[in-house]
């Protein structure tokens, strides 16, 4: 398989993908626009180093990024060259594994997306499976055991050199505030290879749930199982807990896990609420959870601050980018009435903030609750 990874056609496709994704520089400071020069100059020697197993990946740059709950998540940014190699490996691994993945897996797969996951969840609930086992994996990307993952890959591809390369990429140290930290488990969030590797490992969970005849939905490490009674939900929850603990060595977050009814269940920012139309008794529809509305409002408010040195054109562009991205994400939910109210708030805020900046007066932007 290593020959297919290092094939010029595969590496060129990986190069286009990395450049298209852009992204920040790693610890070596190389930007994506410097990758072409590197490939032109050093590709033959790099291939030789990999085939002779002498290649040493550079450290991963660790960056803390804010989460919606005001906590932070550690993002790992590999160097551009390592991202290029990881993308090449990912493309060939996907050829081997993709067809074996289960239909209920929606994250980071061609033809699958968030909308498919929430639609399937809604269908399960409306079919009467309304006692939901909601399990939160505790720090999944930090807890993945490398040896289990590498064994699953070797069982499929039987290529020692590709296993060696993946292991080297996984064990590259991470640099946080200038200090290097060893890594003996976990997948760096921000790596082109991590999404596929997470699906390879959690596919074992998918197949376990499938063998039990259970209805479930999984999007990356976010998964839920749908049952018709609390007793069944408790039994399934205990079985899944033991499987994760004993077979995959993955801990769960007990505080965030539990058995939910639809109105208390949140999936990928979406909530579920009963409908009250004719012939719709017992049916549910998608809504957007309160925190997602607050995040959108916070972002829009930040862009319309009069202290930011944006021109009117740039400000409108940034507003449109955030607005349309959010609507696309939640387009299946019932959001029309709240969007109208939010649009009114945004227009008033933009009008007043621009006026106050031009006159030098303090703005009194409208405060509409949503």
């Amino acid at each position: 398989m290593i020959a297919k990874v290092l094939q010029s056609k595969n590496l060129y496709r990986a190069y286009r993908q990395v450049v298209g994704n852009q992204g920040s520089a790693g610890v070596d400071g190389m930007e994506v626009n410097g990758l072409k020069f590197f490939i032109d100059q050093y590709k033959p020697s790099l291939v030789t180093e990999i085939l002779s197993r002498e290649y040493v990946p550079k450290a991963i740059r660790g960056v803390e990024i804010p989460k919606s709950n005001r906590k932070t998540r550690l993002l790992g940014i590999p160097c551009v060259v390592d991202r290029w190699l990881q993308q090449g490996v990912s493309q060939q691994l996907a050829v081997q594994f993709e067809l074996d993945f289960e239909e209920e897996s929606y994250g980071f797969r061609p033809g699958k997306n968030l909308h498919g996951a929430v639609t399937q969840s809604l269908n399960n609930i409306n079919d009467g499976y309304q006692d939901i086992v909601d399990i939160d994996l505790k720090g999944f990307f930090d807890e993945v055991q490398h040896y289990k993952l590498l064994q699953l890959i070797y069982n499929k591809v039987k290529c020692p050199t590709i296993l060696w390369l993946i292991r080297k990429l996984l064990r590259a140290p991470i640099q946080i505030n200038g200090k290097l930290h060893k890594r003996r488990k976990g997948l760096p969030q921000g790596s082109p290879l991590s999404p596929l590797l997470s699906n390879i490992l959690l596919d074992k969970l998918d197949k376990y749930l499938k063998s039990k005849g259970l209805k479930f939905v999984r999007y990356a490490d976010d998964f839920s199982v749908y049952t018709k009674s609390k007793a069944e939900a408790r039994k399934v929850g205990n079985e899944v807990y033991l499987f994760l603990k004993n077979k995959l060595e993955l801990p769960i977050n007990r505080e965030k896990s539990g058995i939910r009814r639809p109105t208390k269940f949140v999936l990928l920012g979406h909530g579920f609420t009963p409908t009250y139309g004719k012939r719709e008794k017992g049916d549910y529809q998608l809504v957007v959870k309160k925190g997602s509305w607050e995040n959108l409002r916070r972002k829009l408010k930040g862009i319309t601050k009069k202290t930011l040195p944006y021109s009117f054109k740039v400000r409108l562009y940034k507003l449109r980018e955030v607005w349309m991205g959010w609507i696309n994400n939640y387009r299946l939910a019932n959001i029309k009435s709240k969007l109208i109210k939010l649009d009114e708030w945004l227009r008033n805020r933009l009008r007043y903030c621009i006026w106050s900046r031009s006159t030098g007066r303090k703005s009194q932007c409208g405060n509409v609750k949503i």
Side-chain angles (χ1 to χ4, degrees), residues 149-190:
L149 184 57
L150 292 172
Q151 185 62 55
L152 291 173
I153 296 172
Y154 183 74
N155 291 343
K156 190 79 171 178
V157 301
K158 298 288 191 302
C159 177
T161 304
I162 202 68
L163 264 291
W164 170 85
L165 178 58
I166 293 172
R167 185 176 181 273
K168 294 292 284 186
L169 292 169
L170 288 176
R171 291 208 163 189
I174 186 166
Q175 186 182 84
I176 305 173
N177 297 325
K179 185 178 180 180
L180 290 177
H181 299 264
K182 290 182 178 180
R183 298 174 62 252
R184 291 297 177 262
K185 63 178 181 177
L187 305 173
Q189 293 192 64

mmCIF file of all heavy atoms in Angstrom, residues 149-190:
data_model
loop_
_atom_site.group_PDB
_atom_site.id
_atom_site.type_symbol
_atom_site.label_atom_id
_atom_site.label_comp_id
_atom_site.label_asym_id
_atom_site.label_seq_id
_atom_site.Cartn_x
_atom_site.Cartn_y
_atom_site.Cartn_z
ATOM 1 N N LEU A 149 -5.722 0.811 17.307
ATOM 2 C CA LEU A 149 -5.980 1.394 15.995
ATOM 3 C C LEU A 149 -5.051 0.801 14.938
ATOM 4 O O LEU A 149 -5.490 0.427 13.840
ATOM 5 C CB LEU A 149 -5.797 2.907 16.080
ATOM 6 C CG LEU A 149 -6.099 3.732 14.842
ATOM 7 C CD1 LEU A 149 -7.527 3.520 14.359
ATOM 8 C CD2 LEU A 149 -5.863 5.210 15.130
ATOM 9 N N LEU A 150 -3.781 0.688 15.257
ATOM 10 C CA LEU A 150 -2.810 0.153 14.296
ATOM 11 C C LEU A 150 -3.089 -1.315 13.974
ATOM 12 O O LEU A 150 -2.881 -1.757 12.836
ATOM 13 C CB LEU A 150 -1.394 0.322 14.850
ATOM 14 C CG LEU A 150 -0.906 1.773 14.955
ATOM 15 C CD1 LEU A 150 0.426 1.835 15.703
ATOM 16 C CD2 LEU A 150 -0.768 2.401 13.580
ATOM 17 N N GLN A 151 -3.574 -2.066 14.954
ATOM 18 C CA GLN A 151 -3.906 -3.467 14.694
ATOM 19 C C GLN A 151 -5.065 -3.577 13.709
ATOM 20 O O GLN A 151 -5.051 -4.424 12.801
ATOM 21 C CB GLN A 151 -4.269 -4.172 16.002
ATOM 22 C CG GLN A 151 -4.521 -5.664 15.850
ATOM 23 C CD GLN A 151 -3.299 -6.417 15.362
ATOM 24 O OE1 GLN A 151 -2.233 -6.334 15.963
ATOM 25 N NE2 GLN A 151 -3.449 -7.150 14.258
ATOM 26 N N LEU A 152 -6.074 -2.705 13.867
ATOM 27 C CA LEU A 152 -7.210 -2.706 12.939
ATOM 28 C C LEU A 152 -6.763 -2.370 11.520
ATOM 29 O O LEU A 152 -7.244 -2.955 10.544
ATOM 30 C CB LEU A 152 -8.262 -1.695 13.406
ATOM 31 C CG LEU A 152 -9.015 -2.031 14.695
ATOM 32 C CD1 LEU A 152 -9.895 -0.855 15.117
ATOM 33 C CD2 LEU A 152 -9.854 -3.286 14.512
ATOM 34 N N ILE A 153 -5.835 -1.426 11.394
ATOM 35 C CA ILE A 153 -5.338 -1.055 10.066
ATOM 36 C C ILE A 153 -4.517 -2.186 9.460
ATOM 37 O O ILE A 153 -4.678 -2.536 8.290
ATOM 38 C CB ILE A 153 -4.497 0.244 10.154
ATOM 39 C CG1 ILE A 153 -5.381 1.415 10.608
ATOM 40 C CG2 ILE A 153 -3.855 0.563 8.806
ATOM 41 C CD1 ILE A 153 -4.613 2.680 10.906
ATOM 42 N N TYR A 154 -3.664 -2.808 10.281
ATOM 43 C CA TYR A 154 -2.831 -3.889 9.762
ATOM 44 C C TYR A 154 -3.672 -5.085 9.320
ATOM 45 O O TYR A 154 -3.360 -5.751 8.328
ATOM 46 C CB TYR A 154 -1.818 -4.338 10.818
ATOM 47 C CG TYR A 154 -0.874 -5.401 10.313
ATOM 48 C CD1 TYR A 154 0.149 -5.074 9.419
ATOM 49 C CD2 TYR A 154 -1.028 -6.736 10.692
ATOM 50 C CE1 TYR A 154 1.000 -6.064 8.927
ATOM 51 C CE2 TYR A 154 -0.183 -7.717 10.210
ATOM 52 C CZ TYR A 154 0.836 -7.377 9.329
ATOM 53 O OH TYR A 154 1.671 -8.347 8.835
ATOM 54 N N ASN A 155 -4.756 -5.370 10.049
ATOM 55 C CA ASN A 155 -5.641 -6.478 9.667
ATOM 56 C C ASN A 155 -6.199 -6.288 8.263
ATOM 57 O O ASN A 155 -6.523 -7.262 7.571
ATOM 58 C CB ASN A 155 -6.800 -6.595 10.655
ATOM 59 C CG ASN A 155 -6.348 -7.071 12.023
ATOM 60 O OD1 ASN A 155 -5.248 -7.602 12.174
ATOM 61 N ND2 ASN A 155 -7.182 -6.860 13.035
ATOM 62 N N LYS A 156 -6.292 -5.040 7.837
ATOM 63 C CA LYS A 156 -6.892 -4.724 6.543
ATOM 64 C C LYS A 156 -5.856 -4.576 5.440
ATOM 65 O O LYS A 156 -6.041 -5.067 4.318
ATOM 66 C CB LYS A 156 -7.696 -3.426 6.669
ATOM 67 C CG LYS A 156 -8.567 -3.109 5.483
ATOM 68 C CD LYS A 156 -9.833 -3.926 5.509
ATOM 69 C CE LYS A 156 -10.809 -3.452 4.444
ATOM 70 N NZ LYS A 156 -12.029 -4.267 4.437
ATOM 71 N N VAL A 157 -4.752 -3.873 5.717
ATOM 72 C CA VAL A 157 -3.837 -3.506 4.631
ATOM 73 C C VAL A 157 -2.567 -4.346 4.567
ATOM 74 O O VAL A 157 -1.918 -4.407 3.522
ATOM 75 C CB VAL A 157 -3.457 -2.009 4.715
ATOM 76 C CG1 VAL A 157 -4.694 -1.144 4.626
ATOM 77 C CG2 VAL A 157 -2.674 -1.693 5.978
ATOM 78 N N LYS A 158 -2.171 -4.970 5.688
ATOM 79 C CA LYS A 158 -0.999 -5.866 5.713
ATOM 80 C C LYS A 158 0.259 -5.223 5.108
ATOM 81 O O LYS A 158 0.999 -5.875 4.371
ATOM 82 C CB LYS A 158 -1.320 -7.160 4.950
ATOM 83 C CG LYS A 158 -2.456 -7.985 5.529
ATOM 84 C CD LYS A 158 -2.061 -8.650 6.820
ATOM 85 C CE LYS A 158 -3.074 -9.689 7.275
ATOM 86 N NZ LYS A 158 -4.419 -9.204 7.467
ATOM 87 N N CYS A 159 0.500 -3.975 5.458
ATOM 88 C CA CYS A 159 1.686 -3.281 4.926
ATOM 89 C C CYS A 159 2.481 -2.714 6.101
ATOM 90 O O CYS A 159 2.081 -1.704 6.693
ATOM 91 C CB CYS A 159 1.280 -2.163 3.971
ATOM 92 S SG CYS A 159 2.673 -1.196 3.327
ATOM 93 N N PRO A 160 3.613 -3.329 6.455
ATOM 94 C CA PRO A 160 4.396 -2.872 7.611
ATOM 95 C C PRO A 160 4.885 -1.432 7.483
ATOM 96 O O PRO A 160 4.926 -0.706 8.472
ATOM 97 C CB PRO A 160 5.572 -3.852 7.655
ATOM 98 C CG PRO A 160 5.096 -5.064 6.936
ATOM 99 C CD PRO A 160 4.180 -4.554 5.861
ATOM 100 N N THR A 161 5.252 -1.005 6.267
ATOM 101 C CA THR A 161 5.799 0.339 6.107
ATOM 102 C C THR A 161 4.734 1.405 6.339
ATOM 103 O O THR A 161 5.002 2.438 6.957
ATOM 104 C CB THR A 161 6.409 0.512 4.699
ATOM 105 O OG1 THR A 161 7.398 -0.500 4.494
ATOM 106 C CG2 THR A 161 7.074 1.876 4.567
ATOM 107 N N ILE A 162 3.511 1.166 5.856
ATOM 108 C CA ILE A 162 2.453 2.147 6.078
ATOM 109 C C ILE A 162 2.091 2.197 7.563
ATOM 110 O O ILE A 162 1.799 3.275 8.117
ATOM 111 C CB ILE A 162 1.207 1.837 5.212
ATOM 112 C CG1 ILE A 162 0.353 3.111 5.037
ATOM 113 C CG2 ILE A 162 0.337 0.757 5.812
ATOM 114 C CD1 ILE A 162 0.973 4.173 4.227
ATOM 115 N N LEU A 163 2.150 1.048 8.261
ATOM 116 C CA LEU A 163 1.922 1.039 9.709
ATOM 117 C C LEU A 163 3.005 1.829 10.428
ATOM 118 O O LEU A 163 2.714 2.580 11.368
ATOM 119 C CB LEU A 163 1.889 -0.400 10.234
ATOM 120 C CG LEU A 163 0.532 -1.064 10.396
ATOM 121 C CD1 LEU A 163 -0.247 -0.418 11.523
ATOM 122 C CD2 LEU A 163 -0.268 -1.038 9.109
ATOM 123 N N TRP A 164 4.247 1.663 9.981
ATOM 124 C CA TRP A 164 5.358 2.414 10.575
ATOM 125 C C TRP A 164 5.157 3.916 10.390
ATOM 126 O O TRP A 164 5.325 4.700 11.337
ATOM 127 C CB TRP A 164 6.677 1.981 9.926
ATOM 128 C CG TRP A 164 7.831 2.860 10.291
ATOM 129 C CD1 TRP A 164 8.620 2.766 11.398
ATOM 130 C CD2 TRP A 164 8.296 3.995 9.561
ATOM 131 N NE1 TRP A 164 9.551 3.768 11.410
ATOM 132 C CE2 TRP A 164 9.380 4.541 10.296
ATOM 133 C CE3 TRP A 164 7.918 4.595 8.367
ATOM 134 C CZ2 TRP A 164 10.074 5.668 9.860
ATOM 135 C CZ3 TRP A 164 8.607 5.713 7.931
ATOM 136 C CH2 TRP A 164 9.676 6.239 8.667
ATOM 137 N N LEU A 165 4.746 4.327 9.180
ATOM 138 C CA LEU A 165 4.563 5.752 8.905
ATOM 139 C C LEU A 165 3.413 6.336 9.736
ATOM 140 O O LEU A 165 3.552 7.423 10.319
ATOM 141 C CB LEU A 165 4.294 5.964 7.410
ATOM 142 C CG LEU A 165 4.036 7.406 6.965
ATOM 143 C CD1 LEU A 165 5.218 8.307 7.323
ATOM 144 C CD2 LEU A 165 3.756 7.467 5.462
ATOM 145 N N ILE A 166 2.304 5.616 9.815
ATOM 146 C CA ILE A 166 1.166 6.107 10.601
ATOM 147 C C ILE A 166 1.553 6.221 12.075
ATOM 148 O O ILE A 166 1.209 7.196 12.753
ATOM 149 C CB ILE A 166 -0.057 5.184 10.429
ATOM 150 C CG1 ILE A 166 -0.569 5.264 8.990
ATOM 151 C CG2 ILE A 166 -1.173 5.568 11.393
ATOM 152 C CD1 ILE A 166 -1.654 4.261 8.667
ATOM 153 N N ARG A 167 2.279 5.231 12.557
ATOM 154 C CA ARG A 167 2.716 5.262 13.962
ATOM 155 C C ARG A 167 3.619 6.467 14.221
ATOM 156 O O ARG A 167 3.488 7.133 15.254
ATOM 157 C CB ARG A 167 3.450 3.962 14.303
ATOM 158 C CG ARG A 167 3.830 3.838 15.773
ATOM 159 C CD ARG A 167 4.455 2.469 16.042
ATOM 160 N NE ARG A 167 4.800 2.302 17.441
ATOM 161 C CZ ARG A 167 5.940 2.683 17.977
ATOM 162 N NH1 ARG A 167 6.873 3.260 17.220
ATOM 163 N NH2 ARG A 167 6.178 2.502 19.264
ATOM 164 N N LYS A 168 4.530 6.755 13.295
ATOM 165 C CA LYS A 168 5.410 7.913 13.469
ATOM 166 C C LYS A 168 4.603 9.211 13.480
ATOM 167 O O LYS A 168 4.873 10.122 14.273
ATOM 168 C CB LYS A 168 6.442 7.956 12.340
ATOM 169 C CG LYS A 168 7.435 6.819 12.327
ATOM 170 C CD LYS A 168 8.394 6.870 13.498
ATOM 171 C CE LYS A 168 9.459 7.911 13.321
ATOM 172 N NZ LYS A 168 10.481 7.870 14.395
ATOM 173 N N LEU A 169 3.610 9.305 12.603
ATOM 174 C CA LEU A 169 2.779 10.511 12.544
ATOM 175 C C LEU A 169 1.945 10.673 13.812
ATOM 176 O O LEU A 169 1.753 11.789 14.303
ATOM 177 C CB LEU A 169 1.864 10.453 11.310
ATOM 178 C CG LEU A 169 2.572 10.544 9.947
ATOM 179 C CD1 LEU A 169 1.614 10.195 8.814
ATOM 180 C CD2 LEU A 169 3.160 11.937 9.724
ATOM 181 N N LEU A 170 1.451 9.541 14.345
ATOM 182 C CA LEU A 170 0.636 9.599 15.555
ATOM 183 C C LEU A 170 1.470 9.970 16.781
ATOM 184 O O LEU A 170 0.963 10.620 17.706
ATOM 185 C CB LEU A 170 -0.050 8.249 15.804
ATOM 186 C CG LEU A 170 -1.204 7.874 14.871
ATOM 187 C CD1 LEU A 170 -1.702 6.480 15.201
ATOM 188 C CD2 LEU A 170 -2.341 8.878 14.975
ATOM 189 N N ARG A 171 2.722 9.558 16.792
ATOM 190 C CA ARG A 171 3.555 9.766 17.979
ATOM 191 C C ARG A 171 4.411 11.024 17.913
ATOM 192 O O ARG A 171 5.250 11.246 18.790
ATOM 193 C CB ARG A 171 4.441 8.545 18.208
ATOM 194 C CG ARG A 171 3.641 7.324 18.629
ATOM 195 C CD ARG A 171 4.459 6.386 19.469
ATOM 196 N NE ARG A 171 3.625 5.443 20.198
ATOM 197 C CZ ARG A 171 4.073 4.619 21.133
ATOM 198 N NH1 ARG A 171 5.350 4.638 21.459
ATOM 199 N NH2 ARG A 171 3.264 3.807 21.755
ATOM 200 N N ALA A 172 4.201 11.833 16.904
ATOM 201 C CA ALA A 172 4.932 13.107 16.855
ATOM 202 C C ALA A 172 4.581 13.909 18.106
ATOM 203 O O ALA A 172 3.411 14.011 18.477
ATOM 204 C CB ALA A 172 4.542 13.877 15.599
ATOM 205 N N PRO A 173 5.552 14.483 18.786
ATOM 206 C CA PRO A 173 5.267 15.250 20.006
ATOM 207 C C PRO A 173 4.463 16.509 19.693
ATOM 208 O O PRO A 173 4.454 16.987 18.553
ATOM 209 C CB PRO A 173 6.656 15.600 20.540
ATOM 210 C CG PRO A 173 7.537 15.570 19.331
ATOM 211 C CD PRO A 173 6.986 14.499 18.442
ATOM 212 N N ILE A 174 3.795 17.029 20.697
ATOM 213 C CA ILE A 174 3.025 18.255 20.520
ATOM 214 C C ILE A 174 3.699 19.377 21.304
ATOM 215 O O ILE A 174 4.134 19.177 22.441
ATOM 216 C CB ILE A 174 1.555 18.060 20.954
ATOM 217 C CG1 ILE A 174 0.727 19.301 20.617
ATOM 218 C CG2 ILE A 174 1.446 17.711 22.436
ATOM 219 C CD1 ILE A 174 -0.769 19.070 20.702
ATOM 220 N N GLN A 175 3.799 20.540 20.671
ATOM 221 C CA GLN A 175 4.452 21.694 21.293
ATOM 222 C C GLN A 175 3.386 22.651 21.825
ATOM 223 O O GLN A 175 2.603 23.202 21.061
ATOM 224 C CB GLN A 175 5.349 22.406 20.274
ATOM 225 C CG GLN A 175 6.176 23.539 20.864
ATOM 226 C CD GLN A 175 7.003 24.242 19.815
ATOM 227 O OE1 GLN A 175 6.524 25.139 19.127
ATOM 228 N NE2 GLN A 175 8.244 23.820 19.658
ATOM 229 N N ILE A 176 3.389 22.837 23.139
ATOM 230 C CA ILE A 176 2.431 23.728 23.793
ATOM 231 C C ILE A 176 3.206 24.784 24.569
ATOM 232 O O ILE A 176 3.990 24.446 25.459
ATOM 233 C CB ILE A 176 1.487 22.954 24.735
ATOM 234 C CG1 ILE A 176 0.787 21.817 23.985
ATOM 235 C CG2 ILE A 176 0.466 23.889 25.369
ATOM 236 C CD1 ILE A 176 -0.024 20.904 24.873
ATOM 237 N N ASN A 177 3.007 26.037 24.203
ATOM 238 C CA ASN A 177 3.719 27.158 24.845
ATOM 239 C C ASN A 177 5.229 26.945 24.840
ATOM 240 O O ASN A 177 5.932 27.200 25.829
ATOM 241 C CB ASN A 177 3.224 27.346 26.281
ATOM 242 C CG ASN A 177 1.760 27.724 26.345
ATOM 243 O OD1 ASN A 177 1.260 28.451 25.481
ATOM 244 N ND2 ASN A 177 1.053 27.239 27.352
ATOM 245 N N GLY A 178 5.714 26.448 23.699
ATOM 246 C CA GLY A 178 7.157 26.284 23.530
ATOM 247 C C GLY A 178 7.739 25.031 24.148
ATOM 248 O O GLY A 178 8.945 24.770 24.004
ATOM 249 N N LYS A 179 6.929 24.211 24.815
ATOM 250 C CA LYS A 179 7.422 23.003 25.460
ATOM 251 C C LYS A 179 6.880 21.771 24.763
ATOM 252 O O LYS A 179 5.699 21.685 24.450
ATOM 253 C CB LYS A 179 6.998 22.988 26.934
ATOM 254 C CG LYS A 179 7.573 21.822 27.726
ATOM 255 C CD LYS A 179 7.156 21.912 29.184
ATOM 256 C CE LYS A 179 7.736 20.744 29.976
ATOM 257 N NZ LYS A 179 7.341 20.808 31.419
ATOM 258 N N LEU A 180 7.773 20.792 24.490
ATOM 259 C CA LEU A 180 7.379 19.565 23.808
ATOM 260 C C LEU A 180 6.816 18.540 24.795
ATOM 261 O O LEU A 180 7.354 18.362 25.890
ATOM 262 C CB LEU A 180 8.575 18.959 23.072
ATOM 263 C CG LEU A 180 9.092 19.717 21.841
ATOM 264 C CD1 LEU A 180 10.318 19.010 21.283
ATOM 265 C CD2 LEU A 180 8.010 19.820 20.776
ATOM 266 N N HIS A 181 5.727 17.889 24.378
ATOM 267 C CA HIS A 181 5.103 16.851 25.194
ATOM 268 C C HIS A 181 5.015 15.569 24.363
ATOM 269 O O HIS A 181 4.549 15.588 23.224
ATOM 270 C CB HIS A 181 3.703 17.280 25.626
ATOM 271 C CG HIS A 181 3.675 18.525 26.451
ATOM 272 N ND1 HIS A 181 3.638 18.509 27.823
ATOM 273 C CD2 HIS A 181 3.696 19.835 26.082
ATOM 274 C CE1 HIS A 181 3.626 19.749 28.279
ATOM 275 N NE2 HIS A 181 3.649 20.571 27.248
ATOM 276 N N LYS A 182 5.447 14.442 24.954
ATOM 277 C CA LYS A 182 5.356 13.156 24.265
ATOM 278 C C LYS A 182 3.902 12.746 24.107
ATOM 279 O O LYS A 182 3.044 13.100 24.912
ATOM 280 C CB LYS A 182 6.104 12.077 25.044
ATOM 281 C CG LYS A 182 7.611 12.238 25.041
ATOM 282 C CD LYS A 182 8.258 11.087 25.788
ATOM 283 C CE LYS A 182 9.783 11.209 25.754
ATOM 284 N NZ LYS A 182 10.433 10.079 26.487
ATOM 285 N N ARG A 183 3.629 11.983 23.069
ATOM 286 C CA ARG A 183 2.277 11.490 22.826
ATOM 287 C C ARG A 183 2.334 9.978 22.631
ATOM 288 O O ARG A 183 2.980 9.501 21.711
ATOM 289 C CB ARG A 183 1.663 12.164 21.600
ATOM 290 C CG ARG A 183 1.526 13.670 21.749
ATOM 291 C CD ARG A 183 1.045 14.350 20.476
ATOM 292 N NE ARG A 183 -0.275 13.882 20.091
ATOM 293 C CZ ARG A 183 -0.514 13.089 19.056
ATOM 294 N NH1 ARG A 183 0.479 12.699 18.277
ATOM 295 N NH2 ARG A 183 -1.729 12.715 18.774
ATOM 296 N N ARG A 184 1.659 9.248 23.528
ATOM 297 C CA ARG A 184 1.621 7.789 23.428
ATOM 298 C C ARG A 184 0.209 7.270 23.191
ATOM 299 O O ARG A 184 -0.018 6.071 23.063
ATOM 300 C CB ARG A 184 2.210 7.165 24.705
ATOM 301 C CG ARG A 184 3.717 7.387 24.836
ATOM 302 C CD ARG A 184 4.452 6.697 23.696
ATOM 303 N NE ARG A 184 5.891 6.930 23.716
ATOM 304 C CZ ARG A 184 6.521 7.837 22.979
ATOM 305 N NH1 ARG A 184 5.793 8.644 22.174
ATOM 306 N NH2 ARG A 184 7.818 7.974 23.028
ATOM 307 N N LYS A 185 -0.744 8.188 23.169
ATOM 308 C CA LYS A 185 -2.117 7.830 22.801
ATOM 309 C C LYS A 185 -2.803 9.094 22.310
ATOM 310 O O LYS A 185 -2.308 10.210 22.492
ATOM 311 C CB LYS A 185 -2.875 7.221 23.984
ATOM 312 C CG LYS A 185 -3.069 8.155 25.166
ATOM 313 C CD LYS A 185 -3.865 7.471 26.267
ATOM 314 C CE LYS A 185 -4.088 8.412 27.454
ATOM 315 N NZ LYS A 185 -4.917 7.788 28.502
ATOM 316 N N GLY A 186 -3.951 8.917 21.663
ATOM 317 C CA GLY A 186 -4.714 10.063 21.195
ATOM 318 C C GLY A 186 -4.462 10.423 19.740
ATOM 319 O O GLY A 186 -3.454 10.031 19.141
ATOM 320 N N LEU A 187 -5.410 11.187 19.171
ATOM 321 C CA LEU A 187 -5.325 11.674 17.797
ATOM 322 C C LEU A 187 -5.374 13.198 17.832
ATOM 323 O O LEU A 187 -6.240 13.758 18.496
ATOM 324 C CB LEU A 187 -6.508 11.155 16.969
ATOM 325 C CG LEU A 187 -6.739 9.648 16.937
ATOM 326 C CD1 LEU A 187 -8.041 9.333 16.210
ATOM 327 C CD2 LEU A 187 -5.574 8.951 16.261
ATOM 328 N N PRO A 188 -4.467 13.864 17.129
ATOM 329 C CA PRO A 188 -4.495 15.341 17.141
ATOM 330 C C PRO A 188 -5.685 15.879 16.353
ATOM 331 O O PRO A 188 -5.862 15.566 15.177
ATOM 332 C CB PRO A 188 -3.170 15.723 16.479
ATOM 333 C CG PRO A 188 -2.811 14.553 15.624
ATOM 334 C CD PRO A 188 -3.350 13.336 16.322
ATOM 335 N N GLN A 189 -6.527 16.688 16.997
ATOM 336 C CA GLN A 189 -7.624 17.339 16.284
ATOM 337 C C GLN A 189 -7.038 18.441 15.418
ATOM 338 O O GLN A 189 -6.373 19.331 15.913
ATOM 339 C CB GLN A 189 -8.631 17.917 17.277
ATOM 340 C CG GLN A 189 -9.362 16.851 18.078
ATOM 341 C CD GLN A 189 -10.537 17.422 18.840
ATOM 342 O OE1 GLN A 189 -11.490 17.903 18.249
ATOM 343 N NE2 GLN A 189 -10.472 17.364 20.154
ATOM 344 N N GLY A 190 -7.293 18.375 14.135
ATOM 345 C CA GLY A 190 -6.691 19.300 13.182
ATOM 346 C C GLY A 190 -5.835 18.578 12.166
ATOM 347 O O GLY A 190 -5.396 19.163 11.185
#
